[in-house]
Structure formats: C-alpha cells, structure tokens
Amino acid sequence: MVFNTGAALLDAIVLAVVSKEQEGTYGYKITQDVRGVLEVSESTLYPVLRRLQKDNCLEAYDMAYAGRNRRYYKITEKGAAQLQLYKIEWKNYSSKISRMFEGGI
C-alpha cells in the first residue's frame, strides 16, 4: 500500500478482525488477517494489541494449544463501541476522498 497507515486506522482494522470471532482469536491469526488488507509486521501489530487491551477495547486470555499457551484476544463492549465509531468515521472519510478523486469537492 502506498498510503501511510495511521494508528487509528490500524486500531480500527484490528478491532474489526477480532470482532469477527465471538470467542476471540490469537495474535498470529490476527496478523495474517490484517495482512490480507495491508502489509504489517508482527512487531507493529503486537503493540497495537497491547494498547487496545490497555484501553479496555480488547481483553486477553491464555489457552493451551499444542502443549503451550496461546494468547487470545476478544473484543469488549467498549471495543465494539469504538469500532462502530471507526466505521462511521471511515465511511465519511472515504466518501469524501472518493468524491475528490472523482472530480468533486
């Protein structure tokens, strides 16, 4: 992607990915799903997950998998509300940009 990805957009994408799984999902899968939309490294993504957890938008829990613990992330009520705000803002923002590209103002 040639456009910069700001922190808010990355937060919105991560919340959208995590919200798809009712019981939560783990870090590697989140990374793979986000990479379906934009190129991001794990070293970029894990601080986002920690920040969203600190902001009470995500909760984390560990579960055993193949003999070791795997950390799962689940969206909270606050995270779902924040995601709704991001969706509204994105719709407004993207429609303005689209109009601009199409010759409007």
Side-chain angles (χ1 to χ4, degrees):
M1 176 180 222
V2 295
F3 299 105
N4 263 348
T5 305
L9 182 56
L10 194 52
D11 287 359
I13 291 168
V14 168
L15 287 173
V17 165
V18 175
S19 73
K20 303 284 185 229
E21 302 292 334
Q22 191 171 3
E23 294 304 313
T25 187
Y26 54 97
Y28 180 75
K29 182 163 182 348
I30 295 168
T31 302
Q32 296 307 101
D33 290 349
V34 170
R35 283 182 178 161
V37 178
L38 55 97
E39 191 56 39
V40 64
S41 67
E42 287 182 35
S43 62
T44 299
L45 189 63
Y46 280 98
V48 172
L49 291 169
R50 284 192 294 275
R51 182 178 64 249
L52 289 170
Q53 186 181 356
K54 181 179 172 241
D55 292 344
N56 296 314
C57 291
L58 294 178
E59 60 186 26
Y61 62 95
D62 293 337
M63 197 161 65
Y65 177 80
R68 60 188 194 104
N69 277 339
R70 180 184 272 176
R71 174 138 305 168
Y72 284 79
Y73 297 89
K74 184 176 178 180
I75 196 164
T76 63
E77 273 188 44
K78 182 179 179 185
Q82 185 63 48
L83 178 58
Q84 285 307 113
L85 290 174
Y86 282 138
K87 286 179 179 181
I88 292 166
E89 288 297 316
W90 177 256
K91 186 174 184 178
N92 292 333
Y93 177 77
S94 64
S95 68
K96 287 177 186 177
I97 298 297
S98 293
R99 281 195 307 272
M100 181 65 72
F101 285 160
E102 294 164 3
I105 293 180

